[in-house]
Amino acid sequence: MIRSNSPVSEKITSLAALGLLAGMVLSWPLWNTDARECFPLLSLWGPPNWESPAVLLYTGIWPALAVSVIAAVTIIFPGKRGLAVSLAVVLCFLGLSDINRLQPWVWFYLLIFIAGFIGKKEWVKIESMRWVLAGVYFWGGFNKLTPYFIEDNFPWFCEAFPAIKNLGQYPLAGYAVAAIEMSLAAGILLPKWRPYFRRAIPVFHATIIVFLWKLGWNAVVIPWNMAMAGMAWLLCSAQIPQKELADAAVLPRKLLLTPGIAGWLACFSPLFHFFGLWPHPLSWQMYTNTQPEATFVSENGQSCNRELDDMWNALAYDNKTKLSLDDWAMRELHVPVFADVWVFRRIETSLKGCPLSGDLYILTVDQWDKSKEKLEKISK
């Protein structure tokens, strides 16, 4: 049970479980496949909507109930190491059994749970959690240093309120936003800066929440922002007990061991994305507008599946000939599609199996150069 004198790591673990539970409620069809209409299940093994006895382990309402129960108990008893381990294992399994479940906020909570049960010392857990948040802030800001954010997404955000609409026309303001987000990483890692950023970081997240609410977009990440605001406050306020200072001194902060496994993954795995070795959604690319996009083009848009036909009629555009896979995912799963070419190809396979004749068009971009956009056609 969380008390005012509970360890900081336990409070953060509880916040992570609460945020995960809230995110699941807002994206229920993502976890409960019975609540979907026709969006395919995309696992690392087998074709889309693969039929096998093993599928019962990660389809239907049971996976959603399993995560919900473990998360709810973790909120109450965050100090039970076995609960955090169980939650991390279940999330990994469910994420690999349906790739679209590996949303950035799910990946973040998974890293927090790992940081919470790796290491016995409280200061070790706190440091690892600080590095997880620092990784999100640094890469979240760095990845916005792109014309796709400065010229597209930043002006779109500014349109939320008439008073700042014209601000979107000034690229320097967009770069300032990216730089501010990057600075939050230093604010949470540097002891002398923490007292100032303890309040600044929650204000940053509150601003994001207000804009998302006003724009009516991707409400599922609002609990994530609330959870991160609370975590940042706790981590900036945390003090290492005197009895553990001696232990902390043994491992100076400059050593690579300080971030822990979770911190390493949060801070350094996005580097591999630049070499095509790490997926875009797990690289803290929030709102950069650089994700690959896929559109299915069909002249008739009709299949043998009534639910698919209804979805097509509701979402298809350009004389009902084109369907954005991201629009489809947002409608059915309440989250963006896992933006990866491999995922797009798997979805395209499921569409043609309906059957639904047509072609898949995949748009990929260069983060720094808009002239290098590439549109690839995948024909049947």
Side-chain angles (χ1 to χ4, degrees), residues 283-353:
S283 301
W284 314 127
Q285 296 266 357
M286 292 79 71
Y287 308 111
T288 60
N289 203 30
T290 58
Q291 72 279 0
E293 297 180 352
T295 302
F296 193 79
V297 180
S298 175
E299 293 300 325
N300 54 51
Q302 298 297 313
S303 71
C304 60
N305 185 305
R306 181 179 62 81
E307 289 80 8
L308 183 59
D309 291 341
D310 291 342
M311 178 275 302
W312 187 277
N313 291 329
L315 299 178
Y317 61 97
D318 199 1
N319 294 322
K320 301 295 182 181
T321 61
K322 299 177 181 178
L323 172 69
S324 165
L325 299 190
D326 208 38
D327 289 347
W328 184 13
M330 287 298 297
R331 175 186 172 90
E332 274 210 53
L333 307 181
H334 307 164
V335 295
V337 68
F338 190 93
D340 187 85
V341 174
W342 177 82
V343 171
F344 296 156
R345 291 175 178 269
R346 296 289 297 273
I347 296 177
E348 182 252 1
T349 301
S350 72
L351 283 172
K352 290 179 177 178

Side-chain angles (χ1 to χ4, degrees), residues 110-170:
L110 178 59
L111 294 178
I112 290 295
F113 294 138
I114 293 175
F117 67 72
I118 295 292
K120 297 181 179 180
K121 297 292 184 180
E122 173 68 7
W123 73 270
V124 174
K125 298 177 182 180
I126 289 176
E127 284 298 296
S128 184
M129 290 175 175
R130 282 173 176 157
W131 279 89
V132 171
L133 266 70
V136 177
Y137 294 137
F138 174 80
W139 287 109
F142 179 83
N143 289 325
K144 289 182 177 64
L145 300 174
T146 166
Y148 287 95
F149 173 76
I150 303 301
E151 299 173 11
D152 299 332
N153 268 19
F154 178 65
W156 173 68
F157 269 102
C158 291
E159 290 178 359
F161 298 97
I164 62 170
K165 183 177 180 180
N166 292 334
L167 190 63
Q169 306 306 314
Y170 298 93

Side-chain angles (χ1 to χ4, degrees), residues 211-233:
F211 276 82
L212 290 177
W213 172 79
K214 187 65 170 60
L215 293 168
W217 173 252
N218 206 15
V220 72
V221 301
I222 289 179
W224 182 22
N225 279 274
M226 296 174 67
M228 286 192 70
M231 293 176 185
W233 176 276

Side-chain angles (χ1 to χ4, degrees), residues 44-376:
L44 281 183
W45 46 85
N49 291 325
W50 183 44
E51 295 184 4
S52 166
V55 173
L56 297 176
L57 295 174
Y58 49 87
T59 58
I61 195 173
W62 303 112
L65 290 179
V67 178
S68 299
V69 170
I70 300 175
V73 177
T74 302
I75 294 172
I76 303 173
F77 303 105
K80 301 294 184 181
R81 188 168 180 269
L83 289 173
V85 174
S86 300
L87 201 49
V89 170
V90 171
L91 282 178
C92 283
F93 174 71
L94 294 182
L96 296 178
S97 63
D98 187 0
I99 302 301
N100 281 303
R101 290 170 178 157
L102 286 178
Q103 296 291 310
W105 49 277
V106 176
W107 174 236
F108 171 80
Y109 292 135
L110 178 59
L111 294 178
I112 290 295
F113 294 138
I114 293 175
F117 67 72
I118 295 292
K120 297 181 179 180
K121 297 292 184 180
E122 173 68 7
W123 73 270
V124 174
K125 298 177 182 180
I126 289 176
E127 284 298 296
S128 184
M129 290 175 175
R130 282 173 176 157
W131 279 89
V132 171
L133 266 70
V136 177
Y137 294 137
F138 174 80
W139 287 109
F142 179 83
N143 289 325
K144 289 182 177 64
L145 300 174
T146 166
Y148 287 95
F149 173 76
I150 303 301
E151 299 173 11
D152 299 332
N153 268 19
F154 178 65
W156 173 68
F157 269 102
C158 291
E159 290 178 359
F161 298 97
I164 62 170
K165 183 177 180 180
N166 292 334
L167 190 63
Q169 306 306 314
Y170 298 93
L172 186 60
Y175 286 114
V177 169
I180 289 172
E181 187 171 358
M182 291 177 65
S183 73
L184 303 184
I188 206 167
L189 289 178
L190 300 178
K192 292 184 178 180
W193 288 22
R194 287 176 197 150
Y196 307 102
F197 280 81
R198 181 179 61 178
R199 293 179 176 82
I201 296 177
V203 170
F204 171 79
H205 286 288
T207 303
I208 294 177
I209 291 172
V210 170
F211 276 82
L212 290 177
W213 172 79
K214 187 65 170 60
L215 293 168
W217 173 252
N218 206 15
V220 72
V221 301
I222 289 179
W224 182 22
N225 279 274
M226 296 174 67
M228 286 192 70
M231 293 176 185
W233 176 276
L234 291 170
L235 290 172
C236 287
S237 305
Q239 299 293 331
I240 300 177
Q242 290 295 324
K243 64 180 181 180
E244 294 191 1
L245 284 177
D247 294 331
V250 175
L251 290 177
R253 298 181 188 277
K254 64 181 181 180
L255 293 184
L256 297 180
L257 294 176
T258 304
I261 295 175
W264 263 92
L265 287 171
C267 292
F268 301 105
S269 61
L271 284 170
F272 295 99
H273 173 67
F274 295 108
F275 304 97
L277 301 175
W278 192 254
H280 182 282
L282 305 186
S283 301
W284 314 127
Q285 296 266 357
M286 292 79 71
Y287 308 111
T288 60
N289 203 30
T290 58
Q291 72 279 0
E293 297 180 352
T295 302
F296 193 79
V297 180
S298 175
E299 293 300 325
N300 54 51
Q302 298 297 313
S303 71
C304 60
N305 185 305
R306 181 179 62 81
E307 289 80 8
L308 183 59
D309 291 341
D310 291 342
M311 178 275 302
W312 187 277
N313 291 329
L315 299 178
Y317 61 97
D318 199 1
N319 294 322
K320 301 295 182 181
T321 61
K322 299 177 181 178
L323 172 69
S324 165
L325 299 190
D326 208 38
D327 289 347
W328 184 13
M330 287 298 297
R331 175 186 172 90
E332 274 210 53
L333 307 181
H334 307 164
V335 295
V337 68
F338 190 93
D340 187 85
V341 174
W342 177 82
V343 171
F344 296 156
R345 291 175 178 269
R346 296 289 297 273
I347 296 177
E348 182 252 1
T349 301
S350 72
L351 283 172
K352 290 179 177 178
C354 291
L356 182 63
S357 59
D359 301 305
L360 181 72
Y361 288 82
I362 300 177
L363 174 67
T364 54
V365 304
D366 182 282
Q367 184 168 344
W368 317 110
D369 187 352
K370 270 193 168 184
S371 66
K372 294 183 179 181
E373 291 184 356
K374 179 182 178 182
L375 186 64
E376 180 183 6

